[in-house]
């Protein structure tokens, strides 16, 4: 009965359009009241769930991303990527993906990436005769690269949800090969779709122009090295690197590019506050929700149920992937990581799956969910930038979903893709 | 079954404290003819220690196995056992905690909505690092050690000439690995199970902290029990202590062997210079009369 | 969201709350900047000075707690929390109003819970001393109470405005907060280059 109240309230409120944070919070509140437990526990979880030092990475990386977009780092990276791969078939689509890969190396938010790269690329693609749906789909899928390449605050949320005992540096490193694979798979897909639609290529601007654009983009791109090198050489921790990213973004946009005005700085700050407050409020209420699930022993029952279905680890991994994909279509990534990690990770570990590997599987899986209606923040941004409906984007997104799912299958069943690189750095 | 006592533990399933509380539950079930049972939520499923202490005080959960550290800000008496080198050995700690001083500290929980039931072993904490074997206080000079978020521990590390770095526990492994810090300090089972032994190969048995852990019950849950059931709970908790000490000793030996087999070196420095360096720490933290007398009484126990 | 405020006392209250809201947003923004400085200081002290301050970590976390609750309350007033608005999209105007009203009542209940139980938690924790900061444990929960007060005020305001017939539910789309903010950034970036 308690479980019905918890999920019933949650689903009902969600359907009538109550903000997710409050759906989770009020469902927990109602359930605790029904069970006769002191309701203060809900508000304690709300507060403790977000009062975690490692979560500081979320406001910082989002803040850094906002500063990069407003201060001209993003636009220079797009220009550089354009000179590199614009001459390939479906040139601007390739540029979009290359730019997302570069920007993904300095930003952790797929939504910020869809806005930054999409905002610059989609209008250009429209003007050069590309279908808007194509431009939108390339943008939204390529934005997922940011989740896998370091830095990635979702990896940090995962590590915390797993009890903080998974090395964040390892998780960061583990995402690199899968992230580059996703980039490669999308570039190939973009190529074939572009060929069948007869999209043009761009002229190669010449090595001199490439060198010039590279030089202009270097101050921004250096952040990749600073974050990765700084964490790996022990100057700062993974969490602290997010703060360094903010400082560095400020430094470059104010002193090197001289594009950051006082007004843009205030806008970026307020924007980051608005975004992170909402993301973290959901994380807090999700913590209350998952506390109740633990209290009712839901994870243990689910493990038992899964064991009853099959004992084959491959089957279990498929089951978990399907479940995560299903949940990801209608829930946002952050709360899902918090709710699903304590439930699924013990199962995965019981079947011998490495927690770092499982983290990469989960991030990629839920990332695809950011790109599916009805709740898909990345898809929404890309559609809004392209000014088309989600349903129109959906008609031609399938080849790109296909690419994402192939990469997900490879990442799931070839652990070395995730685990080899961290072992090299150890 | 009429009464199910929900109990929290931050350690994973199979850990000596988790098993001891489960054992206590079995005893209770048997002795109450199945009326009273204990359900253990291990692995911090219900929250970290600071949070579950609040939950216990509010009556959300009934039992809680907690370290002494998080109580230092709440129950002043517990500060005395968190002082570095206060206990000479595990035997000394057992004698103290089984005696009057132990009872007095347990009584300190009462005004804060908690009933102290029993003490468990938490082993001895020592330093480990990635750089070099520590054989003297001088070796510690300038090294960076992660400590728990507590002023006493920060002051202790600084008094030894090293630098205390308060970091979240979850970031310790990567931080040692990358060199943000040189090492940390903990007991053998944690050193082994958190895999810190993979990145910090030098363990030095200075045993600066021998801190018992404590099993507390919510005062509100306690008051709901009949006097007979209260006696049952108290006795079962008491009987689980012996079991826990056995399990702990076995686990400690096992962990020590595991890290040694995996290539960790264990050094045993002369403890006296370490103890001598603690003067300023005691001066700063043992200020009120009650704490002073507790320190003296603990030292007097032979 | 409220371009056409009703005249009279309700409009006056709404204007005052508008100022409270922007004050809260500025405070939260200042908190974010201060937090950046604190963590940078922590890195500087450890890496350069070899002397880690123990207050930066709990201090930054407490600051974050404040700016999240303030920012979240502002988000309630600006109506841009992440939601699953499919039903709102297809329903006629009247049905939409009813559903928004239910949502607001639910949010109000949670806001009041934040005040009441946040205060209970503060009192419960008040006899403990927070490590490193050396202040009462109650400070951990004041952000919950403060955020609860603002969430409740802003929700009450919207309920009252809706009852008075003000168009508070206009312009709702299937948007996410992150999306809104980032789209805003796109526009700004384009303006900057134009
Ligand atoms: Na990234
Ligand atoms: Na989705």
């Amino acid at each position: 009965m308690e479980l019905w109240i918890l999920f019933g309230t949650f689903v009902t409120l969600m359907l009538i359009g109550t903000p997710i944070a409050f759906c989770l919070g009020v469902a927990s509140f109602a359930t605790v009241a029904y069970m006769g437990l002191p309701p203060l526990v809900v508000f304690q979880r709300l507060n403790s769930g977000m009062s975690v030092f490692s979560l500081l990475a979320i406001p910082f990386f989002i803040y850094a991303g906002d500063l990069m977009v407003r201060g001209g780092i993003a636009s220079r990276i797009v220009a550089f990527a354009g000179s590199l791969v614009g001459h390939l078939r479906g040139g601007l689509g390739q540029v979009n993906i290359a730019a997302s890969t570069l920007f993904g190396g300095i930003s952790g938010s797929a939504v910020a990436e869809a806005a930054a790269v999409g905002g610059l690329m989609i209008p250009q693609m429209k003007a050069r005769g590309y279908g808007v749906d194509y431009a939108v789909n390339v943008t939204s899928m390529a934005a997922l690269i940011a989740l896998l390449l370091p830095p990635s605050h979702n990896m940090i949320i995962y590590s915390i949800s797993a009890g903080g005992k998974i090395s964040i540096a390892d998780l960061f490193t583990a995402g690199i090969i899968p992230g580059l694979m996703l980039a490669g798979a999308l570039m190939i897909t973009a190529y074939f779709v572009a060929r069948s639609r007869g999209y043009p290529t761009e002229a190669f601007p010449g090595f001199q122009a490439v060198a010039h654009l590279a030089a202009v983009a270097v101050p921004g791109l250096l952040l990749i090295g600073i974050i990765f090198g700084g964490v790996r050489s022990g100057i700062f921790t993974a969490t602290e690197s997010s703060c360094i990213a903010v400082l560095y973004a400020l430094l470059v946009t104010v002193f090197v590019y001289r594009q950051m005005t006082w007004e843009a700085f205030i806008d970026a700050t307020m924007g980051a506050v608005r975004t992170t407050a909402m993301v973290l409020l959901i994380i807090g209420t999700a913590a209350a929700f998952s506390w109740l699930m633990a209290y009712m022993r839901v994870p243990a029952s689910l493990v038992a149920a899964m064991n009853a279905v099959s004992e084959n680890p491959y089957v279990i991994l498929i089951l978990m992937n399907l479940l995560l994909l299903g949940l990801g279509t209608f829930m946002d990534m952050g709360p899902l990581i918090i709710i699903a990690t304590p439930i699924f990770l013990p199962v995965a570990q019981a079947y011998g799956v490495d927690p770092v590997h499982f983290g990469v599987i989960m991030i990629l899986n839920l990332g695809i969910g950011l790109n599916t209606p009805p709740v898909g923040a990345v898809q929404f941004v890309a559609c809004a930038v392209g000014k088309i409906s989600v349903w129109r984007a959906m008609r031609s997104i399938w080849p790109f979903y296909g690419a994402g799912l192939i990469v997900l299958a490879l990442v799931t069943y070839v652990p070395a893709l995730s685990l080899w690189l961290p072992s090299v750095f150890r | 079954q009429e009464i199910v006592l929900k109990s929290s533990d931050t350690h994973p399933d199979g850990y000596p404290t988790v098993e001891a509380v489960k054992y206590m539950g079995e005893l209770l079930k048997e002795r109450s003819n199945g009326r009273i049972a204990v359900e253990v939520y291990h692995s911090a499923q219900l929250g970290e220690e600071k949070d579950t202490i609040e939950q216990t005080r509010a009556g959300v959960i009934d039992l809680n196995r907690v370290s002494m550290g998080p109580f230092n800000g709440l129950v002043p008496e517990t500060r005395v056992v968190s002082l570095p080198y206060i206990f000479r050995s595990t035997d000394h700690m057992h004698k103290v905690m089984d005696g009057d001083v132990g009872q007095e500290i347990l009584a300190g929980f009462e005004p804060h909505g908690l009933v102290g039931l029993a003490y468990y072993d938490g082993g001895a904490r020592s330093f480990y690092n990635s750089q070099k074997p520590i054989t003297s206080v001088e070796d510690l000079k300038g090294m960076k050690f992660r400590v728990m978020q507590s002023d006493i521990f920060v002051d202790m590390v600084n008094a030894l000439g090293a630098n205390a770095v308060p970091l979240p526990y979850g970031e310790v492994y990567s931080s040692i690995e990358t060199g943000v810090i040189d090492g940390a300090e903990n007991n053998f089972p944690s050193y082994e199970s958190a895999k810190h032994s993979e990145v910090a190969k030098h363990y030095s048995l200075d045993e600066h902290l021998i801190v018992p852990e404590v099993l507390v019950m919510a005062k509100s849950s306690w008051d709901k029990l009949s006097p007979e059931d209260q006696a049952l709970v108290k006795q079962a908790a008491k009987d689980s202590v012996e079991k826990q000490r056995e399990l702990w000793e076995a686990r400690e030996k096992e962990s020590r062997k595991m890290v040694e087999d995996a290539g960790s070196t264990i050094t045993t420095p002369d403890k006296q210079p370490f103890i001598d360096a603690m003067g300023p720490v005691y001066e700063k933290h043992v200020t009120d009369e009650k704490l002073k007398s507790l320190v003296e009484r603990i030292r007097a126990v032979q | 969201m409220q371009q056409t405020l009703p005249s009279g006392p309700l409009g006056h209250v709404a204007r005052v709350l508008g100022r409270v809201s922007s004050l809260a947003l500025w405070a939260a923004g200042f908190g974010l900047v201060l937090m950046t400085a604190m963590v940078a200081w922590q890195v500087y002290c450890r890496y350069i000075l070899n002397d880690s301050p123990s207050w930066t970590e709990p201090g930054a976390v407490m600051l974050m707690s404040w700016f999240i609750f303030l920012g979240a309350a502002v988000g309630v007033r600006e109506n841009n929390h992440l939601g699953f608005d499919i039903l709102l999209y297809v329903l006629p105007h009247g049905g939409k109003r009813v559903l928004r009203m239910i949502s607001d009542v639910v949010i109000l209940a949670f806001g009041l819970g934040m005040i009441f139980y946040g205060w209970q938690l503060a009192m419960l924790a008040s006899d403990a001393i927070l490590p490193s900061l050396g202040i009462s444990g109650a400070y951990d929960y004041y952000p919950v109470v403060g955020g609860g007060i603002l969430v409740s005020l802003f929700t009450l305001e919207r309920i009252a405005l809706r009852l008075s017939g003000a168009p508070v539910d206009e312009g709702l789309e299937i948007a996410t907060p992150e999306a809104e903010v980032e789209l805003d950034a796109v526009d700004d970036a384009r303006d900057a280059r134009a």
Side-chain angles (χ1 to χ4, degrees):
Chain A
M1 185 60 204
E2 286 96 351
L3 207 56
W4 282 107
I5 294 183
L6 184 67
F7 281 96
T9 314
F10 173 68
V11 171
T12 311
L13 289 177
M14 197 165 81
L15 284 177
I16 68 169
T18 307
I20 301 278
F22 294 97
C23 296
L24 290 162
V26 172
S28 313
F29 196 5
T31 312
V32 160
Y34 173 81
M35 292 167 82
L37 287 170
L40 59 75
V41 68
V42 171
F43 300 90
Q44 186 211 44
R45 297 325 296 156
L46 164 69
N47 196 47
S48 309
M50 59 171 77
S51 301
V52 179
F53 184 74
S54 308
L55 285 180
L56 256 66
I58 296 178
F60 284 148
F61 278 138
I62 288 176
Y63 193 18
D66 277 350
L67 290 170
M68 288 180 222
V69 173
R70 285 173 212 256
I73 293 182
S75 57
R76 285 170 177 82
I77 286 176
V78 169
F80 170 52
S83 71
L84 274 184
V85 293
H87 57 285
L88 299 177
R89 171 71 68 183
L92 292 185
Q94 308 292 352
V95 172
N96 190 322
I97 297 164
S100 296
T101 311
L102 291 174
F103 193 63
I106 56 178
S107 153
S109 160
V111 179
E113 171 142 333
V117 178
L120 296 161
M121 288 305 300
I122 293 175
Q124 283 188 54
M125 291 173 81
K126 247 190 210 170
R128 295 277 289 132
Y130 289 74
V132 190
D133 57 333
Y134 176 81
V136 164
N137 288 329
V138 168
T139 300
S140 65
M141 283 305 286
L144 306 185
I145 298 167
L147 302 169
L148 291 166
L149 292 184
S152 166
H153 56 251
N154 285 296
M155 299 260 189
I156 297 176
I157 300 179
Y158 169 73
S159 166
I160 293 168
S161 309
K165 291 180 183 79
I166 303 174
S167 159
I168 293 170
D170 278 356
L171 278 169
F172 274 15
T173 320
I176 294 179
I177 291 178
L180 295 177
M181 276 171 60
L182 181 61
L186 290 174
M187 284 185 124
I188 294 168
T189 313
Y191 172 86
F192 281 109
V193 175
R195 206 169 70 166
S196 75
R197 291 192 179 189
Y199 289 150
T201 58
E202 306 296 308
F204 183 65
F207 288 104
Q208 211 175 345
V210 174
H212 173 72
L213 288 169
V216 171
V218 154
L221 286 175
L222 263 183
L223 190 56
I224 302 178
I226 290 176
I227 288 184
F228 200 68
V231 169
R232 276 293 167 191
S233 64
I235 299 171
F236 35 76
T237 66
T239 309
E240 289 165 349
S241 76
S242 58
C243 173
I244 303 299
V246 172
L247 293 181
Y248 187 74
L250 264 177
L251 204 77
V252 170
T253 54
V254 173
F255 295 109
V256 183
Y257 293 159
R258 296 164 185 263
Q259 203 172 314
M260 182 60 73
T261 59
W262 181 244
E263 211 176 22
F265 171 72
I266 299 286
D267 281 351
T269 310
M270 296 311 184
V273 164
R274 281 193 173 91
T275 310
T276 50
M278 283 170 267
V279 172
L280 284 163
L281 190 73
I282 297 177
I283 285 176
T285 50
F289 195 86
S290 55
W291 184 90
L292 264 168
M293 291 213 290
Y295 189 83
M296 292 184 227
R297 301 254 184 225
V298 175
S301 326
L302 204 86
V303 172
M306 279 209 167
N307 284 340
V309 175
S310 170
E311 298 212 333
N312 182 328
Y314 292 99
V315 177
I316 292 288
L317 275 173
I318 282 201
L319 275 180
M320 284 199 284
N321 263 327
L322 290 176
L323 226 81
L324 286 172
L325 279 171
L327 290 169
T329 54
F330 70 90
M331 266 188 85
D332 206 21
M333 192 164 184
L336 251 183
I337 295 175
I338 296 172
I339 292 172
T341 304
I343 300 180
F344 286 13
L345 181 60
V347 185
Q349 281 185 294
Y351 287 94
V353 179
D354 187 281
V356 170
H357 177 209
F358 190 69
V360 178
I361 298 176
M362 180 128 107
I363 300 283
L364 177 54
N365 190 316
L366 299 183
I368 294 172
L370 288 178
N371 229 339
T372 57
V375 178
V378 171
Q379 192 171 40
F380 175 79
V381 169
C383 288
V385 174
K387 299 194 174 64
I388 59 171
S389 76
V390 168
W391 310 113
R392 195 170 146 213
M394 283 304 286
R395 277 209 291 272
S396 58
I397 201 173
W398 301 99
F400 297 97
Y401 278 163
L405 290 175
I406 288 172
V407 176
L408 177 61
L410 283 171
V411 166
T412 304
Y413 290 118
V414 187
L417 294 175
S418 310
L419 299 177
W420 175 71
L421 207 53
S423 75
V424 170
F425 275 98
R426 229 176 251 142
Chain B
Q1 250 169 29
E2 286 160 28
I3 304 164
V4 177
L5 301 174
K6 292 185 185 283
S7 182
S8 168
D9 199 316
T10 49
H11 291 311
D13 202 11
Y15 206 79
T17 51
V18 173
E19 292 308 307
V21 177
K22 281 189 193 164
Y23 176 73
M24 169 187 165
E26 284 163 28
L27 292 179
L28 265 176
K29 201 168 190 175
E30 200 180 293
R31 293 172 187 173
S32 66
N33 298 318
R35 270 188 314 108
I36 309 176
V38 174
E39 236 178 53
V40 185
Y41 291 80
H42 54 77
S43 313
Q45 292 175 64
L46 300 183
E48 294 304 326
E49 290 187 333
K50 175 199 172 280
D51 301 328
T52 58
I53 290 171
E54 285 174 6
Q55 289 169 22
T56 319
R57 296 179 66 199
V60 178
I61 52 178
D62 310 293
L63 291 168
N64 200 357
R65 193 290 314 161
V66 216
S67 324
M68 282 294 192
F71 279 119
N72 288 353
L74 184 68
V75 183
E77 290 89 343
T78 60
R79 273 176 223 163
V80 74
V81 296
S82 302
L83 287 169
Y85 302 105
I86 184 78
F87 297 116
R88 293 186 295 272
S89 64
T90 304
D91 274 344
H92 180 215
M93 186 271 283
H94 285 165
K95 276 194 193 122
V96 171
M97 301 317 279
D98 293 345
D100 295 344
V101 174
Q103 285 309 309
E104 198 172 318
I105 297 173
L106 277 189
F109 288 94
E110 198 92 19
H112 303 285
L114 296 166
V115 179
L117 291 179
Y119 294 112
Y120 289 147
D121 274 11
R125 298 175 74 105
S126 295
F127 290 109
Y128 50 82
N129 76 88
S130 60
Q131 303 297 317
K132 59 186 179 208
I134 304 293
T135 50
S136 67
V137 176
E138 285 69 46
D139 289 337
L140 289 169
K141 197 152 220 70
M143 291 178 85
K144 291 178 191 161
F145 285 96
R146 180 265 174 180
V147 290
M148 290 178 280
Q149 193 65 253
S150 150
D151 295 334
I152 298 183
F153 304 147
V154 169
D155 291 339
M156 171 191 78
V157 169
N158 291 339
L160 290 169
N163 297 312
V165 180
L167 271 183
Y169 190 61
E171 294 196 29
V172 173
Y173 182 98
S174 350
S175 299
I176 298 177
E177 189 184 16
T178 59
V180 172
I181 49 174
D182 297 309
E185 45 84 56
N186 220 318
N187 53 39
F188 275 120
S190 299
Y191 173 60
E192 171 257 310
S193 67
K195 305 264 163 36
H196 294 173
S197 52
E198 292 177 358
V199 287
K201 294 261 175 227
H202 310 285
Y203 192 97
S204 14
L205 267 171
D206 68 291
E207 301 184 313
H208 49 264
L209 278 174
I210 302 177
V211 196
E213 311 204 324
V214 64
L215 180 68
V216 294
M217 185 161 180
K219 184 83 171 58
S220 53
S221 310
W222 176 258
D223 289 341
K224 273 184 221 145
L225 298 177
S226 66
E228 296 77 39
D229 286 350
Q230 286 179 350
L232 276 182
V233 168
K234 194 135 214 177
Q235 190 57 43
K238 210 171 164 192
D239 294 342
S240 70
V241 170
E242 211 39 54
K243 174 92 174 172
Q244 198 271 344
R245 285 179 184 173
E246 274 166 35
L247 287 169
W248 183 265
E249 215 187 309
R251 173 67 189 249
E252 207 164 38
K253 274 197 188 120
E254 190 193 327
S255 295
R256 180 174 179 157
K257 188 172 178 320
M258 281 169 76
V259 296
E260 277 181 311
D261 289 350
S264 283
T265 59
I266 297 167
T267 51
T268 315
D270 175 19
K271 269 161 79 167
Q272 200 52 47
F274 289 77
I275 298 171
D276 295 341
M278 289 303 110
V281 180
Y282 275 68
E283 226 161 81
K284 183 172 166 195
H285 293 280
V286 187
T287 42
D288 66 293
E289 288 310 313
K290 194 167 182 187
L291 225 53
K292 274 185 191 159
S293 92
L294 275 171
V295 168
E296 272 164 32
R297 284 163 60 199
I298 289 176
R299 287 193 168 147
V301 173
Q302 285 311 311
Chain C
M1 83 188 180
Q2 290 123 4
Q3 302 90 343
T4 46
L5 286 175
S7 51
L10 189 54
H12 185 68
V13 169
R15 267 183 292 274
V16 171
L17 285 179
R19 246 167 271 146
V20 172
S21 169
S22 58
L23 201 69
L25 190 64
W26 276 89
F30 186 69
L32 177 59
V33 172
L34 202 61
M35 209 171 79
T36 314
M38 263 190 193
V39 177
W41 177 247
Q42 175 175 309
V43 175
Y44 177 80
C45 285
R46 188 188 57 240
Y47 193 70
I48 311 286
L49 305 183
N50 248 332
D51 182 17
S52 294
S54 59
W55 56 270
T56 46
E57 188 191 318
V61 168
M62 188 170 285
L63 212 52
M64 176 164 75
S65 197
W66 267 111
F67 98 67
I68 291 166
F69 282 115
L70 292 179
V74 173
V76 165
R77 187 167 196 272
E78 294 175 349
N79 231 339
N80 55 7
H81 275 275
L82 176 62
F84 176 92
D85 295 2
I86 280 295
L87 263 184
L88 294 184
Y89 213 48
V90 296
L91 275 181
H93 186 71
K96 193 162 143 180
R97 260 176 65 103
V98 173
L99 293 190
R100 292 313 296 187
M101 199 58 144
I102 299 175
S103 276
D104 282 344
V105 170
V106 160
I107 296 173
L108 177 62
F110 196 74
L112 294 175
M114 283 168 73
I115 302 174
F116 185 77
Y117 294 106
W119 185 255
Q120 257 193 14
L121 281 161
M123 291 304 100
L124 179 75
S126 63
D127 56 355
I129 297 161
L130 293 177
S132 300
L133 293 178
I135 52 176
S136 150
Y139 281 91
D140 262 349
Y141 294 105
Y142 290 149
V144 181
V145 180
I149 292 173
L150 289 184
V151 167
S152 306
L153 278 178
F154 293 152
T155 322
L156 275 174
E157 175 198 15
R158 199 167 49 234
I159 291 174
L161 284 172
R162 186 181 294 111
L163 288 176
S164 80
V168 287
D169 299 321
E170 299 303 313
L172 286 179
E173 289 174 62
I174 307 185
T176 67
E178 249 187 300
E180 287 288 3
V181 173
E182 299 305 344
L183 287 173
D184 203 36
V186 174
D187 289 341
D188 286 1
R190 276 190 200 139
D191 293 347
R193 283 185 308 142

